[in-house]
Amino acid sequence: LGTTSGARWHRDRRLLSGLFAPRMLRGYVPHHVSATKLLLEEWSKYCKENAELDVDESLRLVTFDSSMRSTMGHVLDCWRADSSTPSMQFLTNMALLSQLTSDRLRNVFWHSDFIFYRTATGKKFKEARERAFGFGDKLIAER
């Protein structure tokens, strides 16, 4: 939608607008509220301890948590989980995918799939992508 114009933009906008109608978004509100409450509880702990807070990391966690609650019905519980839980491994994996994608975009030679997937980074990306898909497939199967 952000890269089109004219008749195609109008058609795509019309198709997508229904997804953002208030009646559609109402179902997501409880999920976002629950995730935000956990975020605020976590931030309160930092305030009471007068400790330094990584806002970027907190917002990344609440975004993942809220997204997983509303799209997959899965509570990541990323605030209380240790790094060995499947949910936290998923978050770590998604951060890796994000970094590898960013690296790929900065290297003009890696824009070609043919070249990229033959590099060590491309192979690492493919493995991380498969792990992410496996996590999603497992959640879907459980539902």
mmCIF file of all heavy atoms in Angstrom, residues 87-134:
data_model
loop_
_atom_site.group_PDB
_atom_site.id
_atom_site.type_symbol
_atom_site.label_atom_id
_atom_site.label_comp_id
_atom_site.label_asym_id
_atom_site.label_seq_id
_atom_site.Cartn_x
_atom_site.Cartn_y
_atom_site.Cartn_z
ATOM 1 N N SER A 87 9.430 -19.936 23.845
ATOM 2 C CA SER A 87 9.006 -18.575 23.506
ATOM 3 C C SER A 87 10.193 -17.627 23.414
ATOM 4 O O SER A 87 10.295 -16.822 22.490
ATOM 5 C CB SER A 87 8.016 -18.044 24.546
ATOM 6 O OG SER A 87 6.838 -18.793 24.519
ATOM 7 N N MET A 88 11.097 -17.728 24.361
ATOM 8 C CA MET A 88 12.265 -16.844 24.341
ATOM 9 C C MET A 88 13.223 -17.230 23.229
ATOM 10 O O MET A 88 13.866 -16.376 22.623
ATOM 11 C CB MET A 88 12.963 -16.844 25.701
ATOM 12 C CG MET A 88 12.174 -16.112 26.768
ATOM 13 S SD MET A 88 11.660 -14.435 26.307
ATOM 14 C CE MET A 88 13.229 -13.595 26.346
ATOM 15 N N GLN A 89 13.323 -18.521 22.934
ATOM 16 C CA GLN A 89 14.143 -18.940 21.794
ATOM 17 C C GLN A 89 13.552 -18.380 20.503
ATOM 18 O O GLN A 89 14.293 -17.973 19.605
ATOM 19 C CB GLN A 89 14.244 -20.462 21.746
ATOM 20 C CG GLN A 89 15.091 -21.029 22.853
ATOM 21 C CD GLN A 89 15.065 -22.544 22.904
ATOM 22 O OE1 GLN A 89 14.305 -23.200 22.195
ATOM 23 N NE2 GLN A 89 15.900 -23.107 23.759
ATOM 24 N N PHE A 90 12.228 -18.354 20.414
ATOM 25 C CA PHE A 90 11.565 -17.766 19.252
ATOM 26 C C PHE A 90 11.901 -16.284 19.140
ATOM 27 O O PHE A 90 12.233 -15.799 18.056
ATOM 28 C CB PHE A 90 10.045 -17.961 19.358
ATOM 29 C CG PHE A 90 9.268 -17.264 18.283
ATOM 30 C CD1 PHE A 90 9.274 -17.737 16.988
ATOM 31 C CD2 PHE A 90 8.538 -16.122 18.578
ATOM 32 C CE1 PHE A 90 8.559 -17.083 15.984
ATOM 33 C CE2 PHE A 90 7.819 -15.470 17.595
ATOM 34 C CZ PHE A 90 7.830 -15.954 16.291
ATOM 35 N N LEU A 91 11.829 -15.554 20.247
ATOM 36 C CA LEU A 91 12.152 -14.125 20.222
ATOM 37 C C LEU A 91 13.603 -13.889 19.809
ATOM 38 O O LEU A 91 13.894 -12.999 19.005
ATOM 39 C CB LEU A 91 11.902 -13.491 21.590
ATOM 40 C CG LEU A 91 10.453 -13.319 21.988
ATOM 41 C CD1 LEU A 91 10.358 -12.787 23.408
ATOM 42 C CD2 LEU A 91 9.750 -12.393 21.034
ATOM 43 N N THR A 92 14.500 -14.676 20.352
ATOM 44 C CA THR A 92 15.911 -14.562 19.992
ATOM 45 C C THR A 92 16.094 -14.856 18.506
ATOM 46 O O THR A 92 16.838 -14.162 17.806
ATOM 47 C CB THR A 92 16.756 -15.538 20.837
ATOM 48 O OG1 THR A 92 16.542 -15.239 22.213
ATOM 49 C CG2 THR A 92 18.224 -15.438 20.504
ATOM 50 N N ASN A 93 15.403 -15.864 18.035
ATOM 51 C CA ASN A 93 15.471 -16.231 16.626
ATOM 52 C C ASN A 93 14.936 -15.111 15.735
ATOM 53 O O ASN A 93 15.513 -14.809 14.685
ATOM 54 C CB ASN A 93 14.690 -17.528 16.408
ATOM 55 C CG ASN A 93 14.986 -18.155 15.083
ATOM 56 O OD1 ASN A 93 16.141 -18.405 14.765
ATOM 57 N ND2 ASN A 93 13.961 -18.412 14.316
ATOM 58 N N MET A 94 13.834 -14.485 16.144
ATOM 59 C CA MET A 94 13.263 -13.391 15.354
ATOM 60 C C MET A 94 14.205 -12.195 15.319
ATOM 61 O O MET A 94 14.326 -11.521 14.293
ATOM 62 C CB MET A 94 11.887 -12.989 15.907
ATOM 63 C CG MET A 94 10.832 -14.059 15.733
ATOM 64 S SD MET A 94 10.619 -14.625 14.032
ATOM 65 C CE MET A 94 9.942 -13.168 13.280
ATOM 66 N N ALA A 95 14.879 -11.924 16.417
ATOM 67 C CA ALA A 95 15.859 -10.837 16.445
ATOM 68 C C ALA A 95 17.015 -11.152 15.495
ATOM 69 O O ALA A 95 17.504 -10.266 14.782
ATOM 70 C CB ALA A 95 16.372 -10.615 17.862
ATOM 71 N N LEU A 96 17.436 -12.412 15.468
ATOM 72 C CA LEU A 96 18.490 -12.829 14.541
ATOM 73 C C LEU A 96 18.034 -12.650 13.098
ATOM 74 O O LEU A 96 18.785 -12.129 12.263
ATOM 75 C CB LEU A 96 18.876 -14.288 14.808
ATOM 76 C CG LEU A 96 19.868 -14.913 13.821
ATOM 77 C CD1 LEU A 96 21.218 -14.181 13.872
ATOM 78 C CD2 LEU A 96 20.039 -16.395 14.119
ATOM 79 N N LEU A 97 16.813 -13.069 12.789
ATOM 80 C CA LEU A 97 16.281 -12.898 11.428
ATOM 81 C C LEU A 97 16.242 -11.428 11.034
ATOM 82 O O LEU A 97 16.574 -11.071 9.898
ATOM 83 C CB LEU A 97 14.882 -13.509 11.318
ATOM 84 C CG LEU A 97 14.829 -15.016 11.165
ATOM 85 C CD1 LEU A 97 13.397 -15.505 11.315
ATOM 86 C CD2 LEU A 97 15.398 -15.441 9.828
ATOM 87 N N SER A 98 15.853 -10.593 11.956
ATOM 88 C CA SER A 98 15.811 -9.157 11.691
ATOM 89 C C SER A 98 17.208 -8.627 11.380
ATOM 90 O O SER A 98 17.396 -7.867 10.423
ATOM 91 C CB SER A 98 15.218 -8.436 12.896
ATOM 92 O OG SER A 98 15.219 -7.053 12.693
ATOM 93 N N GLN A 99 18.184 -9.035 12.174
ATOM 94 C CA GLN A 99 19.560 -8.581 11.962
ATOM 95 C C GLN A 99 20.112 -9.097 10.638
ATOM 96 O O GLN A 99 20.740 -8.355 9.881
ATOM 97 C CB GLN A 99 20.466 -9.049 13.115
ATOM 98 C CG GLN A 99 21.904 -8.602 12.970
ATOM 99 C CD GLN A 99 22.041 -7.085 12.932
ATOM 100 O OE1 GLN A 99 21.516 -6.409 13.790
ATOM 101 N NE2 GLN A 99 22.737 -6.572 11.942
ATOM 102 N N LEU A 100 19.871 -10.360 10.325
ATOM 103 C CA LEU A 100 20.367 -10.934 9.079
ATOM 104 C C LEU A 100 19.707 -10.278 7.862
ATOM 105 O O LEU A 100 20.356 -10.067 6.837
ATOM 106 C CB LEU A 100 20.145 -12.449 9.065
ATOM 107 C CG LEU A 100 20.949 -13.246 10.087
ATOM 108 C CD1 LEU A 100 20.529 -14.713 10.076
ATOM 109 C CD2 LEU A 100 22.441 -13.092 9.857
ATOM 110 N N THR A 101 18.426 -9.958 7.981
ATOM 111 C CA THR A 101 17.734 -9.260 6.895
ATOM 112 C C THR A 101 18.339 -7.880 6.688
ATOM 113 O O THR A 101 18.581 -7.460 5.554
ATOM 114 C CB THR A 101 16.226 -9.148 7.199
ATOM 115 O OG1 THR A 101 15.685 -10.461 7.334
ATOM 116 C CG2 THR A 101 15.494 -8.392 6.107
ATOM 117 N N SER A 102 18.601 -7.191 7.771
ATOM 118 C CA SER A 102 19.237 -5.875 7.694
ATOM 119 C C SER A 102 20.615 -5.977 7.051
ATOM 120 O O SER A 102 20.968 -5.164 6.181
ATOM 121 C CB SER A 102 19.333 -5.280 9.097
ATOM 122 O OG SER A 102 19.952 -4.029 9.057
ATOM 123 N N ASP A 103 21.389 -6.984 7.453
ATOM 124 C CA ASP A 103 22.712 -7.195 6.860
ATOM 125 C C ASP A 103 22.597 -7.458 5.366
ATOM 126 O O ASP A 103 23.386 -6.944 4.563
ATOM 127 C CB ASP A 103 23.426 -8.375 7.525
ATOM 128 C CG ASP A 103 23.796 -8.111 8.966
ATOM 129 O OD1 ASP A 103 23.737 -6.938 9.414
ATOM 130 O OD2 ASP A 103 24.138 -9.095 9.663
ATOM 131 N N ARG A 104 21.612 -8.261 4.997
ATOM 132 C CA ARG A 104 21.427 -8.579 3.579
ATOM 133 C C ARG A 104 21.088 -7.334 2.770
ATOM 134 O O ARG A 104 21.589 -7.141 1.666
ATOM 135 C CB ARG A 104 20.326 -9.625 3.419
ATOM 136 C CG ARG A 104 20.126 -10.017 1.970
ATOM 137 C CD ARG A 104 19.030 -11.026 1.765
ATOM 138 N NE ARG A 104 18.993 -11.426 0.364
ATOM 139 C CZ ARG A 104 18.109 -12.253 -0.144
ATOM 140 N NH1 ARG A 104 17.197 -12.800 0.632
ATOM 141 N NH2 ARG A 104 18.139 -12.553 -1.426
ATOM 142 N N LEU A 105 20.245 -6.497 3.303
ATOM 143 C CA LEU A 105 19.836 -5.298 2.577
ATOM 144 C C LEU A 105 21.008 -4.335 2.371
ATOM 145 O O LEU A 105 21.039 -3.587 1.392
ATOM 146 C CB LEU A 105 18.701 -4.592 3.307
ATOM 147 C CG LEU A 105 17.368 -5.338 3.281
ATOM 148 C CD1 LEU A 105 16.358 -4.648 4.191
ATOM 149 C CD2 LEU A 105 16.833 -5.456 1.872
ATOM 150 N N ARG A 106 21.980 -4.369 3.282
ATOM 151 C CA ARG A 106 23.126 -3.465 3.173
ATOM 152 C C ARG A 106 24.210 -3.975 2.219
ATOM 153 O O ARG A 106 25.107 -3.232 1.879
ATOM 154 C CB ARG A 106 23.732 -3.219 4.555
ATOM 155 C CG ARG A 106 22.936 -2.188 5.319
ATOM 156 C CD ARG A 106 23.629 -1.792 6.604
ATOM 157 N NE ARG A 106 22.758 -2.227 7.680
ATOM 158 C CZ ARG A 106 23.097 -3.011 8.679
ATOM 159 N NH1 ARG A 106 24.300 -3.442 8.813
ATOM 160 N NH2 ARG A 106 22.221 -3.363 9.581
ATOM 161 N N ASN A 107 24.128 -5.238 1.838
ATOM 162 C CA ASN A 107 25.140 -5.812 0.953
ATOM 163 C C ASN A 107 24.508 -6.053 -0.420
ATOM 164 O O ASN A 107 23.705 -6.958 -0.595
ATOM 165 C CB ASN A 107 25.658 -7.123 1.543
ATOM 166 C CG ASN A 107 26.793 -7.710 0.749
ATOM 167 O OD1 ASN A 107 26.912 -7.497 -0.446
ATOM 168 N ND2 ASN A 107 27.639 -8.471 1.420
ATOM 169 N N VAL A 108 24.894 -5.248 -1.378
ATOM 170 C CA VAL A 108 24.275 -5.305 -2.710
ATOM 171 C C VAL A 108 24.447 -6.679 -3.359
ATOM 172 O O VAL A 108 23.592 -7.123 -4.125
ATOM 173 C CB VAL A 108 24.813 -4.178 -3.619
ATOM 174 C CG1 VAL A 108 26.264 -4.394 -3.982
ATOM 175 C CG2 VAL A 108 23.957 -4.038 -4.865
ATOM 176 N N PHE A 109 25.507 -7.381 -3.054
ATOM 177 C CA PHE A 109 25.730 -8.696 -3.650
ATOM 178 C C PHE A 109 24.763 -9.743 -3.116
ATOM 179 O O PHE A 109 24.512 -10.757 -3.760
ATOM 180 C CB PHE A 109 27.183 -9.148 -3.414
ATOM 181 C CG PHE A 109 28.187 -8.227 -4.043
ATOM 182 C CD1 PHE A 109 29.000 -7.434 -3.247
ATOM 183 C CD2 PHE A 109 28.298 -8.121 -5.418
ATOM 184 C CE1 PHE A 109 29.917 -6.574 -3.810
ATOM 185 C CE2 PHE A 109 29.211 -7.261 -5.998
ATOM 186 C CZ PHE A 109 30.023 -6.481 -5.195
ATOM 187 N N TRP A 110 24.241 -9.511 -1.925
ATOM 188 C CA TRP A 110 23.328 -10.464 -1.316
ATOM 189 C C TRP A 110 21.876 -10.254 -1.732
ATOM 190 O O TRP A 110 20.992 -10.992 -1.291
ATOM 191 C CB TRP A 110 23.425 -10.392 0.206
ATOM 192 C CG TRP A 110 24.699 -10.942 0.757
ATOM 193 C CD1 TRP A 110 25.694 -11.588 0.069
ATOM 194 C CD2 TRP A 110 25.118 -10.905 2.106
ATOM 195 N NE1 TRP A 110 26.692 -11.938 0.913
ATOM 196 C CE2 TRP A 110 26.370 -11.533 2.184
ATOM 197 C CE3 TRP A 110 24.562 -10.395 3.264
ATOM 198 C CZ2 TRP A 110 27.072 -11.675 3.363
ATOM 199 C CZ3 TRP A 110 25.253 -10.529 4.448
ATOM 200 C CH2 TRP A 110 26.496 -11.158 4.496
ATOM 201 N N HIS A 111 21.589 -9.280 -2.562
ATOM 202 C CA HIS A 111 20.209 -9.052 -3.001
ATOM 203 C C HIS A 111 19.709 -10.203 -3.865
ATOM 204 O O HIS A 111 18.515 -10.466 -3.925
ATOM 205 C CB HIS A 111 20.085 -7.724 -3.739
ATOM 206 C CG HIS A 111 20.257 -6.542 -2.832
ATOM 207 N ND1 HIS A 111 20.020 -5.264 -3.254
ATOM 208 C CD2 HIS A 111 20.631 -6.423 -1.540
ATOM 209 C CE1 HIS A 111 20.243 -4.418 -2.265
ATOM 210 N NE2 HIS A 111 20.619 -5.109 -1.205
ATOM 211 N N SER A 112 20.610 -10.887 -4.515
ATOM 212 C CA SER A 112 20.252 -12.049 -5.323
ATOM 213 C C SER A 112 20.124 -13.270 -4.419
ATOM 214 O O SER A 112 21.049 -13.608 -3.669
ATOM 215 C CB SER A 112 21.346 -12.297 -6.370
ATOM 216 O OG SER A 112 21.244 -13.600 -6.900
ATOM 217 N N ASP A 113 18.974 -13.956 -4.469
ATOM 218 C CA ASP A 113 18.787 -15.177 -3.683
ATOM 219 C C ASP A 113 19.847 -16.216 -4.036
ATOM 220 O O ASP A 113 20.347 -16.924 -3.157
ATOM 221 C CB ASP A 113 17.402 -15.783 -3.935
ATOM 222 C CG ASP A 113 16.288 -15.022 -3.266
ATOM 223 O OD1 ASP A 113 16.577 -14.160 -2.404
ATOM 224 O OD2 ASP A 113 15.118 -15.285 -3.600
ATOM 225 N N PHE A 114 20.181 -16.294 -5.304
ATOM 226 C CA PHE A 114 21.155 -17.280 -5.774
ATOM 227 C C PHE A 114 22.481 -17.128 -5.039
ATOM 228 O O PHE A 114 23.078 -18.109 -4.598
ATOM 229 C CB PHE A 114 21.370 -17.129 -7.285
ATOM 230 C CG PHE A 114 22.358 -18.098 -7.859
ATOM 231 C CD1 PHE A 114 21.986 -19.414 -8.115
ATOM 232 C CD2 PHE A 114 23.662 -17.704 -8.129
ATOM 233 C CE1 PHE A 114 22.902 -20.316 -8.630
ATOM 234 C CE2 PHE A 114 24.584 -18.601 -8.644
ATOM 235 C CZ PHE A 114 24.199 -19.909 -8.897
ATOM 236 N N ILE A 115 22.927 -15.912 -4.876
ATOM 237 C CA ILE A 115 24.191 -15.654 -4.171
ATOM 238 C C ILE A 115 23.992 -15.741 -2.660
ATOM 239 O O ILE A 115 24.756 -16.404 -1.954
ATOM 240 C CB ILE A 115 24.759 -14.274 -4.565
ATOM 241 C CG1 ILE A 115 25.146 -14.272 -6.035
ATOM 242 C CG2 ILE A 115 25.944 -13.903 -3.681
ATOM 243 C CD1 ILE A 115 25.516 -12.908 -6.581
ATOM 244 N N PHE A 116 22.973 -15.071 -2.153
ATOM 245 C CA PHE A 116 22.779 -14.975 -0.699
ATOM 246 C C PHE A 116 22.708 -16.332 -0.017
ATOM 247 O O PHE A 116 23.371 -16.574 0.987
ATOM 248 C CB PHE A 116 21.530 -14.148 -0.381
ATOM 249 C CG PHE A 116 21.245 -14.025 1.087
ATOM 250 C CD1 PHE A 116 22.088 -13.273 1.904
ATOM 251 C CD2 PHE A 116 20.156 -14.644 1.668
ATOM 252 C CE1 PHE A 116 21.841 -13.156 3.270
ATOM 253 C CE2 PHE A 116 19.904 -14.525 3.028
ATOM 254 C CZ PHE A 116 20.756 -13.770 3.825
ATOM 255 N N TYR A 117 21.912 -17.234 -0.548
ATOM 256 C CA TYR A 117 21.713 -18.525 0.119
ATOM 257 C C TYR A 117 22.911 -19.463 0.001
ATOM 258 O O TYR A 117 22.923 -20.529 0.601
ATOM 259 C CB TYR A 117 20.430 -19.198 -0.371
ATOM 260 C CG TYR A 117 19.203 -18.492 0.159
ATOM 261 C CD1 TYR A 117 18.342 -17.818 -0.688
ATOM 262 C CD2 TYR A 117 18.937 -18.479 1.522
ATOM 263 C CE1 TYR A 117 17.228 -17.154 -0.187
ATOM 264 C CE2 TYR A 117 17.834 -17.811 2.029
ATOM 265 C CZ TYR A 117 16.987 -17.154 1.169
ATOM 266 O OH TYR A 117 15.892 -16.490 1.667
ATOM 267 N N ARG A 118 23.936 -19.042 -0.715
ATOM 268 C CA ARG A 118 25.173 -19.808 -0.792
ATOM 269 C C ARG A 118 26.240 -19.281 0.163
ATOM 270 O O ARG A 118 27.298 -19.871 0.291
ATOM 271 C CB ARG A 118 25.687 -19.831 -2.231
ATOM 272 C CG ARG A 118 24.880 -20.805 -3.079
ATOM 273 C CD ARG A 118 25.098 -20.630 -4.565
ATOM 274 N NE ARG A 118 24.367 -21.615 -5.336
ATOM 275 C CZ ARG A 118 23.052 -21.633 -5.510
ATOM 276 N NH1 ARG A 118 22.298 -20.722 -4.933
ATOM 277 N NH2 ARG A 118 22.465 -22.561 -6.244
ATOM 278 N N THR A 119 25.938 -18.177 0.847
ATOM 279 C CA THR A 119 26.868 -17.615 1.825
ATOM 280 C C THR A 119 26.580 -18.199 3.209
ATOM 281 O O THR A 119 25.500 -18.756 3.444
ATOM 282 C CB THR A 119 26.736 -16.079 1.897
ATOM 283 O OG1 THR A 119 25.451 -15.750 2.431
ATOM 284 C CG2 THR A 119 26.927 -15.432 0.532
ATOM 285 N N ALA A 120 27.532 -18.039 4.114
ATOM 286 C CA ALA A 120 27.324 -18.503 5.495
ATOM 287 C C ALA A 120 26.143 -17.768 6.127
ATOM 288 O O ALA A 120 25.333 -18.367 6.839
ATOM 289 C CB ALA A 120 28.592 -18.290 6.311
ATOM 290 N N THR A 121 26.031 -16.471 5.852
ATOM 291 C CA THR A 121 24.915 -15.684 6.394
ATOM 292 C C THR A 121 23.591 -16.168 5.829
ATOM 293 O O THR A 121 22.597 -16.273 6.555
ATOM 294 C CB THR A 121 25.117 -14.185 6.086
ATOM 295 O OG1 THR A 121 26.365 -13.777 6.646
ATOM 296 C CG2 THR A 121 23.994 -13.343 6.636
ATOM 297 N N GLY A 122 23.559 -16.473 4.546
ATOM 298 C CA GLY A 122 22.343 -16.982 3.916
ATOM 299 C C GLY A 122 21.907 -18.312 4.496
ATOM 300 O O GLY A 122 20.721 -18.554 4.719
ATOM 301 N N LYS A 123 22.890 -19.180 4.757
ATOM 302 C CA LYS A 123 22.570 -20.482 5.360
ATOM 303 C C LYS A 123 22.056 -20.300 6.785
ATOM 304 O O LYS A 123 21.118 -20.971 7.203
ATOM 305 C CB LYS A 123 23.800 -21.378 5.322
ATOM 306 C CG LYS A 123 24.146 -21.816 3.908
ATOM 307 C CD LYS A 123 25.445 -22.569 3.841
ATOM 308 C CE LYS A 123 25.760 -22.884 2.377
ATOM 309 N NZ LYS A 123 27.106 -23.395 2.204
ATOM 310 N N LYS A 124 22.667 -19.371 7.514
ATOM 311 C CA LYS A 124 22.226 -19.067 8.876
ATOM 312 C C LYS A 124 20.797 -18.514 8.862
ATOM 313 O O LYS A 124 19.959 -18.872 9.686
ATOM 314 C CB LYS A 124 23.183 -18.044 9.491
ATOM 315 C CG LYS A 124 23.065 -17.841 10.948
ATOM 316 C CD LYS A 124 24.179 -16.894 11.413
ATOM 317 C CE LYS A 124 24.205 -16.722 12.885
ATOM 318 N NZ LYS A 124 25.288 -15.830 13.322
ATOM 319 N N PHE A 125 20.515 -17.641 7.879
ATOM 320 C CA PHE A 125 19.179 -17.069 7.723
ATOM 321 C C PHE A 125 18.161 -18.173 7.453
ATOM 322 O O PHE A 125 17.084 -18.211 8.054
ATOM 323 C CB PHE A 125 19.170 -16.049 6.578
ATOM 324 C CG PHE A 125 17.821 -15.458 6.311
ATOM 325 C CD1 PHE A 125 17.397 -14.334 7.003
ATOM 326 C CD2 PHE A 125 16.967 -16.025 5.368
ATOM 327 C CE1 PHE A 125 16.148 -13.782 6.761
ATOM 328 C CE2 PHE A 125 15.718 -15.484 5.128
ATOM 329 C CZ PHE A 125 15.313 -14.361 5.822
ATOM 330 N N LYS A 126 18.500 -19.084 6.557
ATOM 331 C CA LYS A 126 17.584 -20.161 6.185
ATOM 332 C C LYS A 126 17.270 -21.048 7.395
ATOM 333 O O LYS A 126 16.120 -21.429 7.608
ATOM 334 C CB LYS A 126 18.207 -20.990 5.062
ATOM 335 C CG LYS A 126 17.251 -21.843 4.300
ATOM 336 C CD LYS A 126 17.934 -22.456 3.096
ATOM 337 C CE LYS A 126 16.936 -23.181 2.243
ATOM 338 N NZ LYS A 126 17.531 -23.730 1.034
ATOM 339 N N GLU A 127 18.293 -21.359 8.192
ATOM 340 C CA GLU A 127 18.077 -22.165 9.394
ATOM 341 C C GLU A 127 17.187 -21.429 10.396
ATOM 342 O O GLU A 127 16.278 -22.025 10.974
ATOM 343 C CB GLU A 127 19.418 -22.490 10.053
ATOM 344 C CG GLU A 127 20.280 -23.449 9.263
ATOM 345 C CD GLU A 127 21.707 -23.534 9.793
ATOM 346 O OE1 GLU A 127 22.012 -22.898 10.831
ATOM 347 O OE2 GLU A 127 22.516 -24.231 9.163
ATOM 348 N N ALA A 128 17.442 -20.139 10.591
ATOM 349 C CA ALA A 128 16.643 -19.340 11.531
ATOM 350 C C ALA A 128 15.197 -19.239 11.045
ATOM 351 O O ALA A 128 14.259 -19.315 11.842
ATOM 352 C CB ALA A 128 17.252 -17.953 11.690
ATOM 353 N N ARG A 129 15.018 -19.083 9.749
ATOM 354 C CA ARG A 129 13.669 -19.004 9.177
ATOM 355 C C ARG A 129 12.919 -20.309 9.397
ATOM 356 O O ARG A 129 11.741 -20.309 9.772
ATOM 357 C CB ARG A 129 13.761 -18.673 7.684
ATOM 358 C CG ARG A 129 12.409 -18.469 7.039
ATOM 359 C CD ARG A 129 12.533 -18.239 5.563
ATOM 360 N NE ARG A 129 13.117 -19.425 4.959
ATOM 361 C CZ ARG A 129 13.655 -19.456 3.751
ATOM 362 N NH1 ARG A 129 13.724 -18.372 3.024
ATOM 363 N NH2 ARG A 129 14.142 -20.563 3.267
ATOM 364 N N GLU A 130 13.593 -21.436 9.219
ATOM 365 C CA GLU A 130 12.958 -22.738 9.422
ATOM 366 C C GLU A 130 12.560 -22.928 10.890
ATOM 367 O O GLU A 130 11.502 -23.474 11.188
ATOM 368 C CB GLU A 130 13.873 -23.869 8.961
ATOM 369 C CG GLU A 130 14.062 -23.916 7.449
ATOM 370 C CD GLU A 130 12.769 -23.996 6.676
ATOM 371 O OE1 GLU A 130 11.881 -24.802 7.050
ATOM 372 O OE2 GLU A 130 12.613 -23.235 5.704
ATOM 373 N N ARG A 131 13.415 -22.458 11.809
ATOM 374 C CA ARG A 131 13.072 -22.546 13.240
ATOM 375 C C ARG A 131 11.835 -21.700 13.538
ATOM 376 O O ARG A 131 10.952 -22.118 14.281
ATOM 377 C CB ARG A 131 14.244 -22.085 14.104
ATOM 378 C CG ARG A 131 15.348 -23.100 14.225
ATOM 379 C CD ARG A 131 16.335 -22.727 15.321
ATOM 380 N NE ARG A 131 16.943 -21.426 15.141
ATOM 381 C CZ ARG A 131 18.068 -21.184 14.471
ATOM 382 N NH1 ARG A 131 18.714 -22.179 13.898
ATOM 383 N NH2 ARG A 131 18.554 -19.962 14.377
ATOM 384 N N ALA A 132 11.773 -20.498 12.946
ATOM 385 C CA ALA A 132 10.619 -19.617 13.163
ATOM 386 C C ALA A 132 9.351 -20.262 12.610
ATOM 387 O O ALA A 132 8.306 -20.255 13.270
ATOM 388 C CB ALA A 132 10.852 -18.261 12.514
ATOM 389 N N PHE A 133 9.436 -20.833 11.417
ATOM 390 C CA PHE A 133 8.278 -21.499 10.835
ATOM 391 C C PHE A 133 7.865 -22.699 11.692
ATOM 392 O O PHE A 133 6.680 -22.968 11.872
ATOM 393 C CB PHE A 133 8.567 -21.967 9.412
ATOM 394 C CG PHE A 133 8.632 -20.870 8.394
ATOM 395 C CD1 PHE A 133 9.224 -21.097 7.169
ATOM 396 C CD2 PHE A 133 8.115 -19.601 8.637
ATOM 397 C CE1 PHE A 133 9.294 -20.095 6.210
ATOM 398 C CE2 PHE A 133 8.182 -18.595 7.693
ATOM 399 C CZ PHE A 133 8.772 -18.850 6.474
ATOM 400 N N GLY A 134 8.847 -23.417 12.225
ATOM 401 C CA GLY A 134 8.549 -24.574 13.069
ATOM 402 C C GLY A 134 7.783 -24.163 14.326
ATOM 403 O O GLY A 134 6.837 -24.840 14.731
#
